Amino acid sequence: MIIPFLRDDRQGSLTVTVEQVDDPAAIGKEPSACGFPSCTAVVDYPGKGYRALFGWVQLVRSTDNSSAGAAFDMDPFYLFEDVPSPYAFFGINPTLFDAPSRARRDPLSWTAHSYLAWTPMEDSERRVLPLAGFSWGFDMDSDSRMTLHPVHALLPGDWDAHLPYFRTSYPGWVFDKWQPEL
């Protein structure tokens, strides 16, 4: 799926691929990850340097999370779980990569909301401005069969529904409503 976005009057896009993992070692995972999905979202944006700084904010709702699937939780990159930042990845045209898996093959429903955002460097506050988002995930039944969810673009209301959670979880950050430039 290709999702367009606009920042500073420049057109960019996300190319999102979700596929089942056939060779876990090739992506740095244990053998138990075989059959689970992996997601790669590549940013294509013509800006250079600081104009191409973006971050990925990802939330996950799963039947094995803290709310048993009733609500979304942040999905930080495990190396930075203790860092008070909403970004899982951040950099110049950063690629989002995620490959959720479980050692046990219990029934599971897992959905991610992944958002490309940016933080203006000239602001005195650490502000998160969303640009584009998509949903993806999978279900695993009692026979360990995986069903991948189709990728679909998220809308401003999807981001806005997460604002109370963001603001409570990251009080040192300002989260704006999503106001697409497209």
Side-chain angles (χ1 to χ4, degrees):
M1 169 177 257
I2 298 175
I3 303 170
F5 69 89
L6 194 64
R7 175 178 164 196
D8 296 333
D9 295 321
R10 291 183 178 198
Q11 183 71 52
S13 66
L14 306 177
T15 301
V16 182
T17 305
V18 176
E19 56 195 358
Q20 283 190 293
V21 175
D22 293 328
D23 182 2
I27 61 167
K29 296 288 284 191
E30 296 295 322
S32 61
C34 192
F36 280 88
S38 69
C39 176
T40 304
V42 177
V43 177
D44 181 21
Y45 183 71
K48 303 290 182 205
Y50 296 123
R51 290 279 179 220
L53 277 177
F54 299 101
W56 284 100
V57 176
Q58 181 165 280
L59 302 104
V60 170
R61 180 180 62 215
S62 65
T63 52
D64 66 350
N65 75 356
S66 64
S67 70
F72 281 88
D73 289 332
M74 293 302 290
D75 188 28
F77 185 54
Y78 78 97
L79 293 177
F80 306 117
E81 287 177 324
D82 58 340
V83 176
S85 170
Y87 290 118
F89 300 95
F90 191 87
I92 295 174
N93 290 334
T95 295
L96 170 97
F97 177 79
D98 194 13
S101 62
R102 304 291 189 272
R104 293 179 46 144
R105 298 264 174 157
D106 296 326
L108 179 66
S109 183
W110 191 99
T111 301
H113 281 184
S114 306
Y115 296 96
L116 182 70
W118 69 291
T119 296
M121 293 182 60
E122 60 275 1
D123 281 2
S124 59
E125 299 176 300
R126 291 182 290 181
R127 181 175 305 281
V128 179
L129 302 167
L131 296 166
F134 63 94
S135 180
W136 66 284
F138 67 98
D139 293 313
M140 183 169 43
D141 68 18
S142 58
D143 293 324
S144 299
R145 286 186 300 251
M146 300 281 176
T147 303
L148 302 186
H149 301 176
V151 175
H152 72 269
L154 293 171
L155 302 172
D158 297 308
W159 168 268
D160 295 350
H162 296 300
L163 289 175
Y165 176 76
F166 289 147
R167 291 171 179 158
T168 300
S169 299
Y170 299 96
W173 290 77
V174 175
F175 294 86
D176 285 3
K177 286 188 166 205
W178 184 357
Q179 299 176 10
E181 294 182 47
L182 289 178

